[in-house]
Amino acid sequence: MSGQHPQLLKQWVLDPPSQTVEIHVPRQYADEPAVGRGFDVELGKFWFNPETNKLVRWHERYLVVYSYSLANTLINGQQQRLNLAQAALDKLAAQPGDDIEHLNSKVEAIVKRYRVSEFFSVTATEEILTQTRYAGRDRPTAKSHVQQVTRIHLQLQFQPQCAAIETAKQLAGWRLYVTNAPIPFCSGHKKMVYQFV
């Protein structure tokens, strides 16, 4: 899952370029449910050899595989992280303190700890309030001294990013595998796409 592979996986899962088939493990009984599903995408690769000034071409098949058990594990884990992050942000919003930089660093630590930075939109705002107060403890009179008291009021607001959360659920359980084994003859002809590596 490095380079452009995460983007390819997302693109193929959300808009499959070929038909999805069920996956059964070897020695599985015919009436047992599938353990997953998947499809494959064949890409033609090429590389320019600077020593010979020639292109080297080969084919690779990307196996896009979905595991039901892995998806359930990842979705449950994601929901737990979201719940814990929301509880931590709620607690922080109730007592944001008076230093906005410190507040922002706490927010960053929370979303990093629970790996939910793309799942929440968080905004910290600072408001400076100035009040006029009479100096002294006695009842104020026309001659009483007044002083300006300034205090900082911080507010923390956050909103779950529902679209990002749903997309993560859709992608949970999908993995990419690469092989140079040819497509079985019964799979039919597929359009070839070349990709420079």
Side-chain angles (χ1 to χ4, degrees):
M1 293 301 290
S2 60
Q4 64 179 345
H5 293 119
Q7 188 57 38
L8 282 176
L9 179 63
K10 181 177 180 180
Q11 174 186 329
W12 290 337
V13 168
L14 299 180
D15 186 18
S18 59
Q19 184 180 1
T20 302
V21 296
E22 289 191 331
I23 298 173
H24 295 268
V25 295
R27 300 188 188 94
Q28 188 175 5
Y29 291 111
D31 59 345
E32 286 187 278
V35 297
R37 62 183 191 270
F39 55 90
D40 64 345
V41 179
E42 187 173 19
L43 294 180
K45 303 278 189 169
F46 67 88
W47 170 71
F48 180 75
N49 187 336
E51 294 179 3
T52 62
N53 288 331
K54 291 185 179 180
L55 288 176
V56 179
R57 291 189 170 100
W58 71 96
H59 295 172
E60 287 180 355
R61 287 172 61 211
Y62 283 80
L63 306 178
V64 188
V65 179
Y66 177 80
S67 164
Y68 294 115
S69 62
L70 178 60
N72 286 335
T73 300
L74 293 176
I75 290 171
N76 290 337
Q78 174 185 309
Q79 191 58 53
Q80 287 179 356
R81 295 196 324 273
L82 287 169
N83 292 343
L84 290 169
Q86 182 157 349
L89 290 171
D90 278 332
K91 185 177 179 181
L92 187 58
Q95 294 182 332
D98 56 8
D99 185 335
I100 195 161
E101 289 185 13
H102 189 56
L103 177 61
N104 284 329
S105 66
K106 283 185 174 182
V107 168
E108 188 176 337
I110 289 171
V111 296
K112 185 176 180 181
R113 181 188 320 141
Y114 297 112
R115 304 189 314 277
V116 293
S117 57
E118 69 272 27
F119 300 145
F120 284 101
S121 171
V122 185
T123 306
T125 56
E126 181 181 54
E127 185 180 6
I128 299 176
L129 303 175
T130 303
Q131 294 178 327
T132 302
R133 291 184 181 176
Y134 288 101
R137 303 176 73 182
D138 297 330
R139 189 172 184 173
T141 64
K143 294 183 180 181
S144 296
H145 293 287
V146 293
Q147 60 182 4
Q148 299 289 327
V149 178
T150 301
R151 66 184 181 89
I152 297 173
H153 176 69
L154 298 182
Q155 196 170 26
L156 182 66
Q157 296 177 324
F158 61 93
Q159 185 72 32
Q161 299 298 294
C162 297
I165 293 170
E166 286 306 310
T167 299
K169 286 181 180 178
Q170 286 180 283
L171 296 176
W174 287 97
R175 291 291 181 266
L176 282 179
Y177 300 93
V178 181
T179 179
N180 61 357
I183 295 177
F185 179 73
C186 60
S187 297
H189 175 71
K190 294 190 178 181
K191 184 178 179 182
M192 186 64 55
V193 179
Y194 278 96
Q195 183 179 44
F196 184 78
V197 294

